[in-house]
Amino acid sequence: MELTREQLELLCRVNTGHVALYQYRKNKSLKLLYIAAEIPQALGMTMEEFCQNTKKDCLQIIFEKDQEAVREQVEQAAEGIPVEYTFRVLHKTKDFIWAHCRACYVGTYRKDRVILVTYMNTSQETHSYADLLDHVNSACYVCERGAWELLYANQAALAAWGKGSDYAGKTCYSFIRGRKSPCPWCKIQEMKGTELHLPEVYDPERNTYLRLDCQRLDWYGREAWAVSSVDITDTVRGKKHLEREKQALAKTQNIYQTAVDVAGLTVWEYDIEEQQLFILDRQEDWLAAGLPSVIENMPEGLMTYVQPSSIEAFLAMHEEVKAGRPVRGKDIWYDLRDGQGLRCERISCSVVCDAEGHPVRSYGIGQNVTGQKRAEERYQQAVKEL
């Protein structure tokens, strides 16, 4: 149906709101016939600026990468098939804004087809999601599934990448990495469900570790991934360092235990203030004698094991420790009880003082020299018998 100018004006009055009328010309360009004043304002333009920018073709104000897709939608609308589509429109002060439209054929004017376009509010769900991402401290971005086009990046992501907001129309791998193809180590492309959680992803190019949480969503009519990326390099390296430390500690412990067993050592810690002796390592004969791992009320608590001949030396050694003086090579005889026999230990210990110089702790070892002492006794006896 051929429309008159009056009929076009009537269409605009009847279809109130953010509407526009376009003439679809034979060269597949769009000529503006009418547009609501709110639409140029939403783009940061005056009506005069909008008309000037769309003088040759109204598709010129559409983001370049979206022009072909929008032109296909417009062709369908011109054929009489109502369409609904989402695209990016260039903004005067921003890179672009998203627009959500419905278009339908309403007749002809001067032999060209006329399309009525209604600009609707974009998805409230997507707006809320973008608002949420804007306030997240971790790096978050949205890229189109399959095409890898970077559709959105929050300030935390741009700061982490050291980039500005000029990502429009660029792929995530070219903008973030400067690559010509998708990152070979990226696991997002393997995502099959609606969500993907990757607790630890190694980035060989930057020698870093990332935690990625991905969610598939509809982003202004495009199937996309929303990705939250957290740099966990320090955490992972800290864990690896801790694991190496544990392995080194286990190795040291094995060496220490071997030395204790071979040398027949008793290892202990003494809390001087609390008068508590903690036996850290002891030999089989001590275990058989029932020596507890914690001995209270020192020195009396250990006196029941000390041979009468060594009591004086034992108490003198204790006084040395209380006075803050280390002990070197004191031989003390113990009674292992229950027919276990006697044990002679050569005691050496250090003393730790507090900031004011008061002795608070002592660490020491007792080396089993029973066999040596018995040999000395036999030698002396043999000398006497000569």
Side-chain angles (χ1 to χ4, degrees), residues 136-157:
V136 172
N137 292 328
S138 59
C140 297
Y141 58 96
V142 178
C143 58
E144 186 174 7
R145 184 168 182 257
W148 301 99
E149 183 179 349
L150 189 61
L151 303 176
Y152 166 84
N154 69 356
Q155 290 302 313

Side-chain angles (χ1 to χ4, degrees), residues 200-307:
E200 185 180 312
V201 178
Y202 178 60
D203 177 356
E205 293 181 353
R206 297 181 177 177
N207 191 27
T208 57
Y209 294 86
L210 303 172
R211 186 181 73 237
L212 300 179
D213 292 286
C214 315
Q215 181 176 337
R216 187 173 294 176
L217 77 163
D218 182 280
W219 186 269
Y220 295 98
R222 299 187 179 203
E223 189 176 0
W225 290 304
V227 183
S228 171
S229 173
V230 179
D231 191 321
I232 58 170
T233 303
D234 290 343
T235 302
V236 172
R237 287 179 179 165
K239 288 181 179 178
K240 291 181 181 294
H241 177 72
L242 181 59
E243 185 60 33
R244 288 193 296 269
E245 289 291 317
K246 286 181 178 179
Q247 292 174 359
L249 182 60
K251 183 178 180 180
T252 301
Q253 180 66 26
N254 289 335
I255 295 172
Y256 160 79
Q257 194 61 53
T258 300
V260 167
D261 293 340
V262 171
L265 299 179
T266 302
V267 184
W268 47 264
E269 175 186 354
Y270 179 36
D271 186 331
I272 299 172
E273 294 180 337
E274 298 295 330
Q275 295 181 293
Q276 290 179 316
L277 184 69
F278 302 93
I279 309 297
L280 306 179
D281 272 296
R282 49 195 162 161
Q283 299 302 304
E284 292 296 329
D285 51 358
W286 271 125
L287 290 171
L291 181 71
S293 59
V294 180
I295 301 174
E296 306 280 353
N297 191 30
M298 284 290 292
E300 288 80 4
L302 193 59
M303 289 287 287
T304 54
Y305 290 93
V306 180
Q307 269 286 89

Side-chain angles (χ1 to χ4, degrees), residues 100-119:
H100 186 194
C101 301
R102 288 178 183 156
C104 62
Y105 168 76
V106 292
T108 60
Y109 178 66
R110 295 178 181 177
K111 298 183 179 180
D112 287 327
R113 298 181 183 187
V114 177
I115 299 171
L116 174 68
V117 177
T118 304
Y119 292 84

